[in-house]
Amino acid sequence: MQQNNLSLILCELKKKELFPLFEEARVHSIARRSVVLRYKRGERLMFSSNKKQRVFFLTQGIININVYSCNGEAVGSFFLGKNEFLPFSMILKNTLKNFNMVACTDITIVAMTKNTFEELVHNNSAIEHFLDNKKSNIVADFLKCNMINSYVQPQMRVILMLQHMSEKFGVVDESFEYVVPRWLTQTKLARLAGTTRETVGKTYRMLRKENSLAGTVGKERLTYSFSSKYKDYL
């Protein structure tokens, strides 16, 4: 669904780490040439490439990027949050060639033409530095997920992927322990770790037995025991 309401676009843009670096008048100018796109959880994001290629800013939610070889074989999967998915045409597409994107949660995106975005950042070294750092973070995240999946033992892959995703997207509770994201289901974790749902269930039971995982389904958290035991693996 596409929306063009100016106040809505301004509100969404101001959620980004990037936009406090600009003067208010410039943000208003950009907002008038932007649109808001919304996707529901589970929807695939389809972005066409044409002469008016657009730049996409994720302002709410989480996107799953699945990467494929030139032969169509799955070679990796990772996730991006609202302060990483920027801008699509200048970061992801120049780094990864064959991939698809799926909304892990309900998401909101602000889109503008590539020319509009280039006008916004023209000759701004602070913005260029900011974008370079974000690009490095995206590549580092992809490599970390690949490193996790290089472990031979499937249970270790599950544990390390659980740790990585919880530190990246989870929240810290009042006990300063990471809460596992609700959308990170055991089925999704199995796919990320390249194993079966049964293996994930077995790993969860092992972690609970050793007091590394606590809480009820959908409200699990990684305990201090988990952190002390696995902190040096990543």
Side-chain angles (χ1 to χ4, degrees), residues 41 62 64 77 79 104-105 158-170 179-193 197 200 204 213 217-220 222:
R41 179 168 61 93
I62 297 167
N64 181 201
S77 181
F79 293 79
C104 261
T105 63
V158 171
I159 290 168
L160 296 183
M161 193 63 75
L162 178 63
Q163 178 185 12
H164 173 57
M165 298 303 289
S166 297
E167 291 180 354
K168 183 176 174 65
F169 294 115
V179 177
V180 178
R182 291 180 64 89
W183 55 265
L184 186 62
T185 63
Q186 291 190 27
T187 299
K188 196 174 266 86
L189 186 58
R191 183 167 55 81
L192 276 172
R197 167 67 177 75
V200 175
Y204 270 48
L213 184 70
V217 175
K219 296 181 180 179
E220 293 100 342
L222 306 182

Side-chain angles (χ1 to χ4, degrees), residues 2 35 37 52-56 88-89 111-114:
Q2 178 173 314
V35 296
L37 309 174
K52 291 187 177 180
Q53 184 179 18
R54 291 194 289 181
V55 173
F56 302 94
F88 167 78
S89 63
M112 63 188 71
T113 67
K114 186 175 180 182

Side-chain angles (χ1 to χ4, degrees), residues 203-217:
T203 305
Y204 270 48
R205 289 191 293 273
M206 180 194 75
L207 291 173
R208 288 184 183 281
K209 188 174 181 179
E210 65 183 27
N211 196 34
S212 293
L213 184 70
T216 58
V217 175

Side-chain angles (χ1 to χ4, degrees), residues 61 100 223-224 228:
N100 65 40
T223 66
Y224 285 118
S228 61

Side-chain angles (χ1 to χ4, degrees), residues 140-152 157 160-161 164 232-234:
D141 188 72
F142 177 60
L143 293 176
K144 180 174 284 189
C145 289
N146 279 359
M147 182 273 288
I148 291 171
N149 280 319
S150 69
Y151 278 82
V152 175
R157 296 199 300 270
L160 296 183
M161 193 63 75
H164 173 57
D232 295 329
Y233 285 86
L234 288 180

